[in-house]
Amino acid sequence: MSESQSLTSRQPRVTPDDLLAGLVPPPQFAAATFSSYRPDPAHPSQGEAMARMADLADQIRTPRRRGLLRRPVAPPSLYLDGGYGVGKTHLLAALAHEIGPERSAYGTFVEYTHLVGALGFAECVQVLSRRALVAIDEFELDDPGDTVLMSRLLRELADAGVTLVATSNTLPEALGEGRFAAEDFLREIQALASRFEILRIDGPDYRHRSGLPEHEGLSVAQVERALEGALASGARVSCDGWDALLAHLATIHPSRYGALVDDLDAVVITGAHGIDEDMVGLRLVVLVDRLYDRDLPVRLGPSGVADLFSERMLAKGYRKKYLRALSRLGALTHREWPGE
């Protein structure tokens, strides 16, 4: 039987070339298409958004031309707004697949800010300007620096004729609320909002349409059995204590969290308990997003998923990020487990 691995012993390295190569839909959405999207009939906005995105794909493939030199006109940029679990990421990935990896870039908001840091602003603009589509998942402004940076980046890409499509749980004019003095950066935020046609997608979290209960923490014995079963099946499994893992995340740049778990089949976390610190919580959100991107099943205990973030954290400016993380982590705890 193979031995478990430890995430806390890993210090992955990610080069700028790695970041560029990673600007494609993640494994979780590798097969996402418009036809595989399942709009909820009770919420017509979902079907309308799918149709609008499919129409946008046609526009990008065959842009209109105007003017004496018949220069191509970039299609409008779209902003998909809605709660977590309504399929915004699926639609964004489907659009990127329709356009193809040579002409599109797909990444989370965090990944684009990291790309600017790795390449430098001018080179990042030059690289992304060669794409017909830049897709930005989980668009959220957490600090003033991000606001100014992304406003400038999107302005230059749009001016270069790149179509921008973003998803978020927050309307663009409300970005930054509750996180920093957003009113001081209102001009930048309004400039961002003016660049997008907003598509509102309503509906419940599809990850819980099946009626799955909230995940309850596993006992020590249950976690141990899950780990033993996975290892006996030959799966590559990591096993880490909650506190040690959260402390280790602070030593790694979030742009490397994906590389931290890339070669695993499953993840075990022991000693899980609630937290009440936003910096710790935001790092955990990024890790959960990378686990979800890779569709990695998770087993953790003794605390259940619903108890991981404090009431204070769930009532403040980052609440939507935390709720998305709970939704995604809850889904991963119900994934088929190796050896079961």
Side-chain angles (χ1 to χ4, degrees), residues 266-289:
V267 171
V268 171
I269 304 174
T270 63
H273 60 79
I275 59 176
D276 188 31
E277 185 177 342
D278 283 314
M279 287 306 297
V280 175
L282 292 173
R283 287 192 287 265
L284 178 60
V285 167
V286 178
L287 177 65
V288 170
D289 284 341

Side-chain angles (χ1 to χ4, degrees), residues 7 28 236 238 258 260-267 287-288 290-299 328-329 331-338:
L7 298 181
Q28 169 81 292
R236 297 164 297 179
S238 67
L260 188 69
V261 298
D262 261 341
D263 62 343
L264 296 175
D265 299 312
V267 171
L287 177 65
V288 170
R290 301 293 80 78
L291 293 172
Y292 186 76
D293 286 346
R294 289 150 180 79
D295 202 21
L296 289 175
V298 175
R299 294 294 181 267
R328 289 182 164 187
L329 186 56
L332 295 179
T333 62
H334 288 97
R335 292 290 191 269
E336 182 178 354
W337 187 254

Side-chain angles (χ1 to χ4, degrees), residues 1-216:
M1 183 172 66
S2 60
E3 296 183 353
S4 65
Q5 304 177 46
S6 173
L7 298 181
T8 58
S9 66
R10 298 181 170 195
Q11 284 287 345
R13 295 286 180 263
V14 179
T15 68
D17 287 342
D18 293 332
L19 292 175
L20 286 171
L23 291 180
V24 295
Q28 169 81 292
F29 298 98
T33 63
F34 294 129
S35 62
S36 65
Y37 179 67
R38 295 290 179 266
D40 187 341
H43 297 276
S45 61
Q46 295 185 13
E48 292 166 2
M50 180 182 69
R52 182 69 183 89
M53 291 284 276
D55 178 65
L56 179 64
D58 291 336
Q59 290 181 271
I60 295 173
R61 283 193 294 260
T62 55
R64 295 184 298 110
R65 295 179 178 273
R66 70 179 178 193
L68 294 176
L69 300 179
R70 306 291 291 170
R71 297 182 62 183
V73 180
S77 294
L78 301 184
Y79 189 101
L80 277 63
D81 170 64
Y84 48 88
V86 295
K88 301 185 302 296
T89 298
H90 183 118
L91 290 174
L92 191 68
L95 177 63
H97 287 312
E98 285 283 325
I99 304 307
E102 298 82 11
R103 302 189 64 222
S104 68
Y106 176 105
T108 64
F109 178 87
V110 171
E111 287 171 326
Y112 283 111
T113 58
H114 295 162
L115 184 66
V116 174
L119 296 180
F121 186 85
E123 185 175 352
C124 186
V125 170
Q126 184 178 39
V127 168
L128 294 180
S129 293
R130 302 187 190 116
R131 312 293 176 99
L133 167 72
V134 168
I136 310 166
D137 198 21
E138 301 156 15
F139 196 111
E140 295 174 2
L141 299 179
D142 294 334
D143 61 62
D146 283 348
T147 303
V148 176
L149 174 69
M150 291 305 290
S151 178
R152 183 183 171 198
L153 177 64
L154 298 189
R155 180 175 64 250
E156 297 210 13
L157 292 178
D159 289 346
V162 178
T163 295
L164 310 170
V165 181
T167 73
S168 181
N169 304 127
T170 305
L171 285 168
E173 63 267 21
L175 289 166
E177 280 186 1
R179 303 176 191 183
F180 60 91
E183 62 274 11
D184 295 339
F185 296 87
L186 190 59
R187 181 182 300 176
E188 298 288 349
I189 293 170
Q190 288 175 336
L192 281 172
S194 68
R195 295 190 175 277
F196 292 102
E197 171 192 332
I198 299 173
L199 295 182
R200 173 70 190 181
I201 306 179
D202 300 303
D205 182 352
Y206 82 93
R207 286 182 283 267
H208 298 296
R209 286 184 195 169
S210 61
L212 291 174
E214 288 293 334
H215 172 263
E216 296 181 359

